[in-house]
Amino acid sequence: MNFIKKILPPFLLVALIFCTGFETVEQSLEAEIASLINIERSEAGLAPYQSDPFLTHLAQKRGTEYSISQLFRQNHYDFRGFVLRNGCGYRYVRVGECLSYGNCLGAAHFYVDGLMASPGHRQIMLSSNRDTIGIAISKQGKYYITVYLVGKQR
């Protein structure tokens, strides 16, 4: 890699890295947030969440919706309506939604620490009735982080 750094201008090196399939900053942060939430669950004696690409897709759509409207309306029926509007047929028993936003992307532990400091969010994240996670980061002026925690219907 040092040889490449010497022969390529920095902007070309950055372009090369992004064009070779590396994760985006957002994807890396999403994965780190999921990992930190799972550490919290482990410390509470709970099984880790399993990531679900479709739930992550829903979180991305929801985060985009929030970032455009800049309104947070968190409740179970709102999620149900969102799922029905998007025609996904996603089957779940329990659902939790955790939202965070800020002017810049920070370290993952800041988001998780903030959510864990909120009794309602902490209860959702450490629920034994939920087993699946989807996390997405959306940007519309500010960064919006949407975390879905679901107990899937079996």
Side-chain angles (χ1 to χ4, degrees):
M1 189 70 160
N2 286 336
F3 173 73
I4 293 174
K5 285 181 182 179
K6 288 178 184 176
I7 63 169
L8 288 178
F11 68 91
L12 283 178
L13 184 59
V14 169
L16 178 66
I17 289 171
F18 279 109
C19 293
T20 56
F22 285 95
E23 288 185 329
T24 65
V25 172
E26 289 86 355
Q27 289 169 324
S28 179
L29 187 61
E30 291 162 1
E32 192 174 347
I33 290 169
S35 177
L36 291 172
I37 290 171
N38 278 334
I39 289 170
E40 293 283 348
R41 287 180 62 81
S42 175
E43 290 173 358
L46 299 167
Y49 282 114
Q50 298 302 308
S51 182
D52 182 320
F54 189 71
L55 194 57
T56 297
H57 171 73
L58 285 181
Q60 184 65 57
K61 288 184 91 164
R62 184 62 152 181
T64 299
E65 197 175 83
Y66 279 128
S67 67
I68 290 170
S69 70
Q70 296 185 0
L71 295 174
F72 283 0
R73 295 181 317 254
Q74 293 178 275
N75 63 54
H76 173 74
Y77 298 105
D78 198 30
F79 178 79
R80 180 178 292 169
F82 176 76
V83 171
L84 292 174
R85 277 195 315 276
N86 287 285
C88 9
Y90 198 83
R91 296 175 179 255
Y92 61 90
V93 178
R94 301 241 186 262
V95 65
E97 180 181 70
C98 298
L99 302 171
S100 180
Y101 71 94
N103 291 322
C104 63
L105 288 177
H109 70 88
F110 289 128
Y111 296 107
V112 175
D113 289 348
L115 290 171
M116 292 302 285
S118 162
H121 290 108
R122 182 180 182 81
Q123 181 181 5
I124 290 169
M125 289 191 293
L126 298 182
S127 169
S128 62
N129 295 327
R130 294 178 177 89
D131 55 11
T132 309
I133 192 169
I135 301 175
I137 298 173
S138 306
K139 183 173 188 312
Q140 185 77 20
K142 295 182 181 193
Y143 289 92
Y144 292 79
I145 299 174
T146 307
V147 180
Y148 277 144
L149 305 161
V150 170
K152 285 180 142 182
Q153 187 175 12
R154 305 245 182 260

